[in-house]
Amino acid sequence: MPVTFRPGRRPPIRTRARVKLRPHLRTTTPPPASVNWFEHVAAWPMYMNDRIGDCAIAMEAHALQAASTYGSGSTITVSDDDVLPVYERVSGYHPDNPSSDVGCILQDVYADWRRTGIAGHKAAAFAEVEPSDLDEVKSAVYLLGTVGLGIVVTAQMMTDFDSGKDWTRAGGRSLGGHAVVIVGYDDTGVWIVTWGKVIKMTWSVFRRVVDEAWVAILPEWLDANGLDPLGVDLYGLGEELHALTGEPNPFPEPCPTPVPPGPTPAPVPDVDPSDVELAAALKKWLAATGL
């Protein structure tokens, strides 16, 4: 059944201060060739995005599904009743006033995620990802689970979606802004969740339609066994967030790396005083005899 596109992502306000992820990536190892954080999620709800422009909140809920499944190990799926009040709070939407269905600014969505959250699930912090740096995008997905995208949807993209096709082309007129979440990637593109489905967006389409990207650091992800993001300086990111907001750093200061002990000095042998006197006398006699 065709989806009626409802623009739900408003343009970013570029002059706003924000924390950027790049300075806090401390790994020099390239991200893996592919990542899949979606295969074990049984279903992705529509979250009313076929009726209202709440795509940014649906993106938040889908990110929570992926992060909890592959992090803490148990899928957290919120309900429409959890999503709607977040959309009302962030965008000013009121169900009795259709003209208030104007969508959200993604930075506002992530800020609300950190302050208030959805169904009791808050982000510890969030940062902007540079979408033109594909290695940074991949590293963010690999290390932190998901990346939210602000994109422009074209008529051709909608036609392909309604036909059950992946997004491999982006022609036609622009229909407006949309928000989706990356839940995996490989060398050909990214897997995203939108309108209740996982589809593939090729890297060529990604470069054409993506104009902002954000990552949330979620407690549900940090609980992962072996998936703790060792390649991200979370404390440094939290310090920058503290400088912007005045709120406490949510991450503990890392313990200093212990300095290994130096070599144990060789024991000094006990010397008998008579031996010292004998050595001195022998040295004096040798000097006197010229030997």
Side-chain angles (χ1 to χ4, degrees), residues 32-38 129 131 133-142 145-151 157 165-168 180-194 197-210 212-213:
S34 64
V35 160
N36 178 331
W37 302 137
F38 61 88
V129 177
D133 186 337
L134 300 189
D135 275 350
E136 183 178 335
V137 173
K138 293 176 183 178
S139 292
V141 175
Y142 170 60
T146 65
V147 168
L149 301 178
I151 69 173
M157 292 165 70
K165 298 177 181 178
D166 290 332
W167 282 346
T168 62
V180 299
V181 62
I182 301 176
V183 290
Y185 67 81
D186 64 12
D187 60 344
T188 64
V190 294
W191 282 281
I192 61 168
V193 184
T194 185
K197 291 175 58 177
V198 176
I199 67 170
K200 190 74 168 290
M201 177 196 294
T202 63
W203 288 118
S204 61
V205 172
F206 181 100
R207 291 185 179 93
R208 290 187 61 181
V209 304
V210 176
E212 60 177 322

Side-chain angles (χ1 to χ4, degrees), residues 148-170:
L149 301 178
I151 69 173
V152 174
V153 174
T154 68
Q156 195 168 60
M157 292 165 70
M158 283 307 304
T159 297
D160 287 344
F161 181 86
D162 290 337
S163 300
K165 298 177 181 178
D166 290 332
W167 282 346
T168 62
R169 50 188 187 163

Side-chain angles (χ1 to χ4, degrees), residues 262-268:
T264 303
V268 178

Side-chain angles (χ1 to χ4, degrees), residues 75-163:
T75 304
I76 296 171
T77 301
V78 302
S79 68
D80 287 359
D81 289 340
D82 297 315
V83 167
L84 184 58
V86 181
Y87 184 51
E88 293 174 342
R89 184 171 64 240
V90 177
S91 74
Y93 172 68
H94 194 285
D96 294 333
N97 180 12
S99 65
S100 65
D101 185 13
V102 296
C104 303
I105 295 172
L106 287 193
Q107 189 173 0
D108 291 344
V109 172
Y110 278 83
D112 179 82
W113 199 349
R114 184 180 64 83
R115 287 193 305 264
T116 307
I118 182 168
H121 299 279
K122 294 183 181 182
F126 67 96
E128 186 179 36
V129 177
E130 176 50 58
S132 66
D133 186 337
L134 300 189
D135 275 350
E136 183 178 335
V137 173
K138 293 176 183 178
S139 292
V141 175
Y142 170 60
L143 295 170
L144 297 169
T146 65
V147 168
L149 301 178
I151 69 173
V152 174
V153 174
T154 68
Q156 195 168 60
M157 292 165 70
M158 283 307 304
T159 297
D160 287 344
F161 181 86
D162 290 337
S163 300

Side-chain angles (χ1 to χ4, degrees), residues 217-237:
I217 293 89
L218 302 181
E220 294 78 11
W221 177 259
L222 299 184
D223 286 344
N225 293 322
L227 293 178
D228 195 49
L230 299 177
V232 183
D233 176 13
L234 292 180
Y235 179 76
L237 190 152

